């Protein structure tokens, strides 16, 4: 086996076993040269393998930062509540309701949903804390004509359980858009972001009932290092 691959495997093992924990620096190139008795070129090849595998990010003037590779799977297709993801993936989390109030449909919401400007919606903002950090910020807009009441205690648990089991709504499907966007000041204030974070993943969803009425518009902001967005696709010839 090539020397740089041996070094890569050794460093990989040390990252996986948290000898080098997430958000810390690997030893410098000079230190790695001394540790492994290898040339600078060999060390750089090993570091490139680590970077390509998603274990480190090289920062000019700082060195190689170990990334947090333990990410939760977030399905792209399908319609799954965060509570259901929490239960299936054993995610220990805490939800805090930041905002829960009724507001008129704004022009921005109207353009996203085609709801009438005369309609009223619940404006619900929730922080999702995992391992003590706020890594998801959910903002929901819900038509009060379909969801007349929304108790805070239900919002802190699972609103989908409330919709289906209490209000007996038949939730059918959703249209999703997933984008990477620059961090806003509000997002930085309400989330626990990393010092080097400049962008977040935003999942926007329009959720429809069985009768095709759109009753929910959601913007779910995720910290980049904590989630990976997955799907299953079967090839279909056209």
């Amino acid at each position: 086996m090539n020397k740089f691959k041996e070094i890569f495997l050794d460093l990989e093992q040390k990252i996986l076993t948290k000898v080098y924990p997430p958000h810390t620096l690997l030893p410098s190139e000079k230190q790695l040269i001394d540790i492994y008795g290898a040339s600078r070129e060999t060390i750089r090849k090993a570091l490139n393998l680590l970077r390509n595998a998603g274990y480190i990010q090289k920062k000019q003037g700082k060195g190689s930062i170990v990334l947090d590779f333990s990410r939760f799977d977030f399905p792209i297709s399908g319609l799954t509540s965060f509570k259901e993801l929490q239960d299936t993936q054993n995610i220990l989390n805490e939800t805090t309701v930041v905002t829960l109030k009724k507001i008129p449909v704004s022009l921005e919401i109207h353009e996203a949903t085609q709801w009438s400007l005369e309609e009223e919606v619940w404006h619900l903002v929730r922080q999702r804390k995992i391992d003590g950090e706020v890594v998801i910020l959910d903002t929901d807009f819900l038509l009060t004509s379909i969801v007349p009441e929304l108790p805070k205690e239900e919002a802190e648990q699972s609103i989908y359980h409330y919709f289906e089991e209490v209000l007996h709504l038949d939730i059918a499907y959703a249209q999703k858009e997933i984008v990477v966007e620059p961090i806003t000041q509000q997002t930085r204030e309400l989330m626990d972001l990393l010092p080097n974070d400049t962008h977040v993943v935003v999942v926007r969803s329009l959720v429809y009932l069985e009768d095709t009425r759109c009753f929910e518009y959601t913007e779910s902001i995720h910290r980049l290092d904590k989630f990976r967005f997955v799907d299953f696709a079967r090839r279909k010839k056209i």
Side-chain angles (χ1 to χ4, degrees):
M1 183 182 295
N2 291 329
K3 180 71 172 178
F4 70 88
K5 289 184 179 178
E6 292 179 2
I7 296 171
F8 161 74
L9 291 174
D10 186 63
L11 289 172
E12 178 187 46
Q13 183 62 24
K14 288 177 178 176
I15 290 173
L16 291 173
T17 56
K18 292 186 168 54
V19 173
Y20 301 127
H23 315 307
T24 63
L25 289 171
L26 286 183
S28 67
E29 286 188 5
K30 185 178 184 306
Q31 289 172 320
L32 291 173
I33 288 171
D34 293 338
I35 291 170
Y36 292 103
S39 67
R40 184 175 299 274
E41 181 183 359
T42 297
I43 293 299
R44 287 182 174 175
K45 284 183 178 180
L47 292 176
N48 282 334
L49 287 180
L50 287 173
R51 183 187 62 186
N52 293 338
Y55 290 116
I56 64 169
Q57 176 65 43
K58 300 188 78 173
K59 292 291 183 181
Q60 188 69 31
K62 289 189 176 182
S64 300
I65 299 174
V66 179
L67 299 178
D68 189 347
F69 55 87
S70 56
R71 301 185 177 189
F72 298 106
D73 290 347
F74 196 99
I76 295 173
S77 60
L79 186 50
T80 306
S81 72
F82 181 78
K83 180 67 165 60
E84 291 165 338
L85 288 178
Q86 168 197 332
D87 293 341
T88 57
Q89 299 190 43
N90 298 316
I91 303 173
L92 298 177
N93 85 97
E94 176 186 341
T95 296
T96 300
V97 174
V98 178
T99 301
L100 178 57
K101 62 182 180 180
K102 294 179 180 180
I103 63 171
V105 171
S106 66
L107 183 59
E108 182 180 2
I109 298 172
H110 165 73
E111 290 175 349
T113 63
Q114 300 306 303
W115 292 338
S116 169
L117 293 172
E118 298 176 359
E119 291 268 21
E120 183 182 61
V121 293
W122 287 104
H123 179 206
L124 172 62
V125 180
R126 291 174 293 175
Q127 294 170 311
R128 309 287 200 178
K129 186 180 288 187
I130 298 175
D131 297 331
E133 296 180 307
V134 179
V135 294
I136 300 177
L137 184 65
D138 282 342
T139 299
D140 296 276
F141 299 97
L142 300 143
L143 284 175
T144 59
S145 58
I146 296 176
V147 183
E149 298 296 332
L150 184 55
K152 182 180 177 182
E153 56 269 23
E154 298 290 351
E156 290 174 340
Q157 298 299 317
S158 171
I159 57 174
Y160 272 37
H161 179 270
Y162 175 68
F163 295 159
E164 294 174 327
E165 301 302 322
V166 179
L167 300 183
H168 304 295
L169 298 177
D170 292 323
I171 302 172
Y173 61 95
Q175 294 177 342
K176 294 185 182 182
E177 173 191 59
I178 301 176
V179 293
V180 175
E181 295 182 348
I183 294 169
T184 65
Q185 183 60 36
Q186 181 188 30
T187 299
R188 192 168 290 281
E189 290 172 357
L190 293 177
M191 294 183 69
D192 293 319
L193 300 173
L194 301 178
N196 295 319
D197 283 346
T198 58
H199 290 71
V200 287
V201 175
V202 183
V203 182
R204 294 188 175 91
S205 304
L206 292 169
V207 186
Y208 294 81
L209 299 176
E210 195 69 47
D211 60 11
T212 73
R213 286 181 296 167
C214 176
F215 80 104
E216 178 186 14
Y217 173 56
T218 299
E219 293 185 350
S220 188
I221 300 173
H222 298 71
R223 204 172 82 180
L224 284 172
D225 65 307
K226 280 294 183 182
F227 297 89
R228 61 179 182 179
F229 294 80
V230 300
D231 197 7
F232 173 81
R234 188 181 299 279
R235 174 167 167 74
K236 181 179 180 181
K237 294 182 178 180
I238 58 174

